[in-house]
Amino acid sequence: MNAFTYKNNELFADDVSVKKLAKEYGTPLYIYSRTHMRDQYAKLVEAMAEVDPLICFSVKANSNLAVIKTFVDLGGGLDIVSGGELFRALRAGADPSKIVYAGVGKTVEEIEYALKENILFFTVESEGEARRISECAVRLGTTGRIAFRVNPDVDPKTHKYISTGKKENKFGLDIARATQAYADAANMPNIEISGMHLHIGSQILSSAPFGEALERVRDLCMDLKGKHESFKYLDIGGGIGIKYEPEHEALAPEAYAATVVPLLKELGLKVVLEPGRSMVGNAGVLVSEVQYVKDNPFKKFVVIDAGMNDLVRPALYQAYHEIIAVDESVTEKVFGDLVGPICESGDFLAANRELPAVKPGELVAALSSGAYGYTMASTYNSRPRPAEIMVDGDKAFVISKRETLQDIIKNEISLEEVI
Ligand SMILES: Cc1ncc(COP(=O)(O)O)c(C=O)c1O
């Protein structure tokens, strides 16, 4: 189901008018459809039913408490990457025994926090991290359950910033090194070898790289399963790509499942998935108001009140977001850039594109903004971050208030106070 559709020439989120929300809560404004999130989750459950995976929503994609709670209520687990995300997960009522913890730079404090909360396992990125988890577990008198992240060196054919399973990436250990790391970790005190972790990248539109990655780790998995009774989990990460550009097709859960399920069944381990983008990306839009339309001899610029601080993906990795007018009757097009108010030439949501010919005061929506949108937002140029609204059918809830000017300076201390 498409969560954002026109009804009577007006864009709706489920059954709620986007224009009305913008009027009530101001712009820029993130709007999410809870129905779409639930649908995406259900589709993945159905496609993967044969292996009955634990689906751990990747909190980094959208870490709003209400979004996390939506997946927790569906019975899902969570994939976290920091102490902050663990805090959010617990606040949202997550069951720690369904939380997996990734990331190359876990600090002692973060590891101890996760050990005390008794999470399912750490996905471990280096030998040093395994040693640190062991030391922390000894100190706390508990056990650190670990799954080494194996870097299978496959090309997921995605943007280089979101490719994580190639040998030049900082993530995980190559197969030879992982083999040794497992052997060493088995002798570390208070460590339990729980399984293996893979995550080859994000926004992957073909199932082939997932299959290739699984084939590469198959032998090591079978070997470890034979050696360690506790080796029960194979966490294959996230990465399922979504539709951003009109001419692209998302990687359908059925196509993903058709490739990975046979390989997973053969391994006979408990499967963990960490989808982020595919759960929430197309559940969200960023709505903004046009401020000015200006020309120079070379180009037209549509200046809106959302900037790269609100949605950084286009500036960060030339990401494409489809831009539509909230009023469907704007059918005319202009060619140019959709830019924000930030003092950077990289501050655009769309560049050199055909855009709706919107006028000052009119609204545009950047589609597919539900993942890595608000979570990457900043207050650069001292711009308060937008509000977030969750729509569920005909109801709309504010799930985070618009930041105020006071909010953005609340941790700062003026010189008069410290001198
Ligand atoms: C370890 C890990 N798991 C899961 C994800 C989620 O990926 P996606 O949003 O592409 O599904 C990421 C994203 O960077 C990740 O690093």
Side-chain angles (χ1 to χ4, degrees):
M1 173 207 152
N2 193 351
F4 298 91
T5 47
Y6 288 113
K7 295 180 192 170
N8 301 325
N9 274 348
E10 237 195 82
L11 187 64
F12 272 68
D14 287 4
D15 300 323
V16 180
S17 152
V18 165
K19 198 166 164 188
K20 272 200 190 129
L21 290 175
K23 197 159 178 210
E24 189 163 352
Y25 301 107
T27 52
L29 186 68
Y30 275 100
I31 303 174
Y32 309 123
S33 159
R34 191 157 189 241
T35 322
H36 186 84
M37 294 180 194
R38 289 205 202 97
D39 283 356
Q40 291 300 100
Y41 184 89
K43 281 182 191 153
L44 191 58
V45 169
E46 197 187 329
M48 296 293 291
E50 263 189 275
V51 290
D52 186 25
L54 172 64
I55 300 181
C56 293
F57 169 63
S58 192
V59 171
K60 66 178 80 65
N62 190 322
S63 54
N64 185 288
L65 294 174
V67 173
I68 299 174
K69 176 91 166 76
T70 297
F71 293 104
V72 166
D73 286 351
L74 292 169
L78 299 171
D79 155 49
I80 59 161
V81 79
S82 68
E85 287 191 354
L86 177 54
F87 177 72
R88 282 181 178 276
L90 298 172
R91 273 294 171 92
D95 174 354
S97 73
K98 292 184 184 173
I99 294 179
V100 295
Y101 186 170
V104 292
K106 303 177 190 79
T107 64
V108 168
E109 292 72 24
E110 288 177 314
I111 290 169
E112 290 191 349
Y113 182 19
L115 284 171
K116 285 181 193 157
E117 295 297 340
N118 205 15
I119 63 162
L120 180 56
F121 57 77
F122 294 89
T123 64
V124 174
E125 301 261 3
S126 63
E127 299 88 341
E129 186 189 326
R131 275 195 298 279
R132 184 177 271 186
I133 294 171
S134 163
E135 286 158 14
C136 291
V138 169
R139 219 166 23 246
L140 296 176
T142 185
T143 301
R145 287 179 291 275
I146 66 165
F148 276 107
R149 177 166 178 176
V150 176
N151 182 330
D153 191 22
V154 294
D155 185 355
K157 301 205 169 44
T158 185
H159 190 279
K160 64 178 190 295
Y161 287 6
I162 50 175
S163 156
T164 55
K166 286 164 72 180
K167 59 179 182 297
E168 62 266 36
N169 300 133
K170 70 177 173 184
F171 300 98
L173 298 169
D174 64 45
I175 291 176
R177 209 159 147 195
T179 309
Q180 187 58 46
Y182 273 112
D184 295 346
N187 295 319
M188 289 178 192
N190 299 45
I191 285 290
E192 184 175 295
I193 309 284
S194 295
M196 185 185 288
H197 178 227
L198 298 171
H199 172 73
I200 57 171
S202 200
Q203 186 51 17
I204 301 171
L205 291 170
S206 146
S207 65
F210 295 104
E212 213 180 305
L214 279 174
E215 269 160 18
R216 291 204 182 175
V217 299
R218 180 201 284 147
D219 290 351
L220 180 56
C221 264
M222 291 313 268
D223 182 48
L224 291 164
K225 196 178 158 194
K227 280 191 183 133
H228 307 282
E229 215 185 302
S230 57
F231 190 91
K232 292 198 182 97
Y233 294 93
L234 178 55
D235 177 343
I236 61 169
I240 300 174
I242 63 166
K243 182 177 175 123
Y244 282 103
E245 305 196 26
E247 61 273 18
H248 282 177
E249 274 313 317
L251 172 53
E254 303 77 41
Y256 172 78
T259 300
V260 298
V261 166
L263 296 160
L264 293 170
K265 273 170 68 181
E266 191 191 323
L267 289 168
L269 293 160
K270 174 73 187 167
V271 176
V272 179
L273 306 178
E274 302 175 344
R277 192 186 307 273
S278 56
M279 296 294 104
V280 291
N282 275 318
V285 296
L286 174 63
V287 180
S288 57
E289 189 190 79
V290 179
Q291 302 299 304
Y292 305 98
V293 177
K294 68 177 259 187
D295 287 296
N296 72 19
F298 310 101
K299 241 193 197 169
K300 191 164 217 114
F301 297 94
V302 178
V303 186
I304 54 175
D305 62 1
M308 64 190 284
N309 71 300
D310 303 304
L311 180 60
V312 76
R313 298 186 66 259
L316 188 63
Y317 19 68
Q318 299 82 46
Y320 184 103
H321 286 271
E322 194 179 343
I323 307 296
I324 61 170
V326 167
D327 177 352
E328 196 187 15
S329 61
V330 179
T331 49
E332 216 185 303
K333 301 280 179 204
V334 289
F335 191 87
D337 291 3
L338 186 74
V339 300
I342 302 267
C343 300
E344 302 272 351
S345 295
D347 180 29
F348 59 86
L349 293 195
N352 297 315
R353 293 234 306 258
E354 214 169 56
L355 300 165
V358 276
K359 296 191 202 64
E362 293 181 338
L363 298 171
V364 290
L367 303 186
S368 318
S369 300
Y372 308 103
Y374 191 92
T375 47
M376 285 193 181
S378 75
T379 58
Y380 185 41
N381 278 199
S382 289
R383 287 168 43 81
R385 279 175 295 187
E388 295 177 284
I389 307 291
M390 183 178 266
V391 167
D392 193 353
D394 60 359
K395 297 189 183 59
F397 315 96
V398 178
I399 58 168
S400 82
K401 293 187 225 160
R402 182 174 303 284
E403 271 182 331
T404 63
L405 296 177
Q406 278 304 327
D407 289 336
I408 63 175
I409 58 163
K410 70 176 186 290
N411 292 329
E412 293 176 37
I413 299 159
S414 71
L415 261 191
E416 295 83 72
E417 287 176 61
V418 286
I419 288 179

